[in-house]
Amino acid sequence: MRYEVDHKAKTRKRIIRKAARQFREQGLEGAGVATVMKSAGLTVGGFYKHFRSKDDLRIEAIAESLQELRDTFLSEVHKAPPGEGWKAIVRQYLSLEHCENVATGCPMVALAPEIARSSPAVKARLASLMKQHAEQVLPFMPGRNRAEQARNQIVLMSAVTGAVGLARMETDQRRKLQILNTVRDRLLESF
Amino acid sequence: MRYEVDHKAKTRKRIIRKAARQFREQGLEGAGVATVMKSAGLTVGGFYKHFRSKDDLRIEAIAESLQELRDTFLSEVHKAPPGEGWKAIVRQYLSLEHCENVATGCPMVALAPEIARSSPAVKARLASLMKQHAEQVLPFMPGRNRAEQARNQIVLMSAVTGAVGLARMETDQRRKLQILNTVRDRLLESF
DNA sequence: TGTACATCAGTGAACGCGCGTTCACTGATGTAC
DNA sequence: TGTACATCAGTGAACGCGCGTTCACTGATGTAC
């Protein structure tokens, strides 16, 4: 081999990470294969040495985005007092910082409608990734038992994704903050 | 004139209504000018006799979608006992029927990320349309005064748009219903 | 009353462009003999 | 030890295709004289 043993794996990871950012920022259609490759320091042609298709990359990139989201969540959770992990997650999710940085934020808010429209094969794969994600975050949700935690998770996820989705459509900064803060305050006092 | 006096206005409206459905179903990029025109019984070339650009159509189509949404809301509200209008809206919004019919549903859930990514000019115009929409629905929101109604509206809108957004990504029908019903039940008992 | 011209919603071919994908090639390295 | 060949990550031009937009044209009607 001309390169280090894991050279190809590293390159692949670099492409996925760049794609994860660009898909969130520009959409699953908006971000192009050529641009992703260029931002990874490569040329278009090499793409198919790493992925079978753009759909393949979409799946890998969203998996990566969910992983990054989970990493952020868990690091926030560890800073919070025991049993209050969900509060840290809610605060982080509804922060202006998360709202304004689509490229590094939650892929579900950034891509929900496009994921819903995906081909059945892609959609099924992504649904399974999101289910996994939810299960890993479940332990930090409020509630006296698993069933209650699961219900609360659904309510919390709906409220926070909805709030960020709405806030991002806003052009008036005051309204944007009002959405984020109103939902945050309500959620923090409701569980 | 060869046609009735309002012929052109009627044609324009027909194009907008078709576009409103197709944008919600296929996205602001996904739906094409040629397809919209064809579904309105016309050919591509005529498009620019009615609109300055595709962006122009996007704005008109979303305005139309919001109007349709409001019509649905108001017809539900009139069937509900006084003061419980918001409950009727929540039930309608979180129904399986609304969730599964993207083409005739709420444009904010169907298009949020694409609207957020729009050019500043388009985004500003749409933000103003959505503000108008919210103001017209405000009177039916729960709360003892306008300020409380406004806060509750933000929470309700976030929760219902988030829930439908998440439910539409689900491939498992059981999970989809679980999301819609859990959020509906929680909201109905929370105000 | 008749004729020439203006109007204008709608047609359909053509345009330039960006996209995902394919493919023959490169060139540095490892391996067989 | 030296040489010929295989491997394979990456290159860059080319492909077919669909898109938004433009444009010369059509043809039915209204209007001017």
Side-chain angles (χ1 to χ4, degrees), chain B residues 1-2 31-34 44-45 48 53-54:
Chain B
M1 290 280 175
R2 332 164 245 171
V33 169
V44 226
Y48 295 87
S53 65
K54 193 185 180 185

Side-chain angles (χ1 to χ4, degrees), chain B residues 47-165:
Chain B
F47 180 79
Y48 295 87
K49 291 277 156 62
H50 291 281
F51 305 96
R52 253 171 306 128
S53 65
K54 193 185 180 185
D55 263 351
D56 192 7
L57 179 65
R58 286 192 249 254
I59 292 169
E60 297 293 333
I62 291 173
E64 166 69 20
S65 304
L66 283 173
Q67 182 61 58
E68 290 171 15
L69 183 70
R70 227 146 44 223
D71 291 347
T72 312
F73 280 4
L74 295 186
S75 103
E76 291 295 325
V77 163
H78 290 135
K79 285 186 235 158
E84 302 218 331
W86 68 276
K87 291 190 182 179
I89 293 176
V90 166
R91 283 202 191 90
Q92 194 278 327
Y93 206 102
L94 293 175
S95 67
L96 189 61
E97 203 253 332
H98 177 224
C99 184
E100 290 188 336
N101 292 281
V102 193
T104 54
C106 173
M108 292 181 279
V109 203
L111 302 171
E114 287 188 277
I115 291 174
R117 284 198 291 273
S118 299
S119 68
V122 173
K123 195 176 171 179
R125 189 83 193 74
L126 294 178
S128 141
L129 286 171
M130 290 185 296
K131 198 182 167 202
Q132 262 181 60
H133 172 83
E135 279 165 9
Q136 290 189 36
V137 178
L138 186 65
F140 309 105
M141 291 295 113
R144 288 173 307 245
N145 51 55
R146 263 187 68 94
E148 202 179 302
Q149 284 180 302
R151 282 195 301 276
N152 287 339
Q153 181 174 48
I154 288 173
V155 175
L156 284 170
M157 281 183 66
S158 296
V160 299
T161 57
V164 174

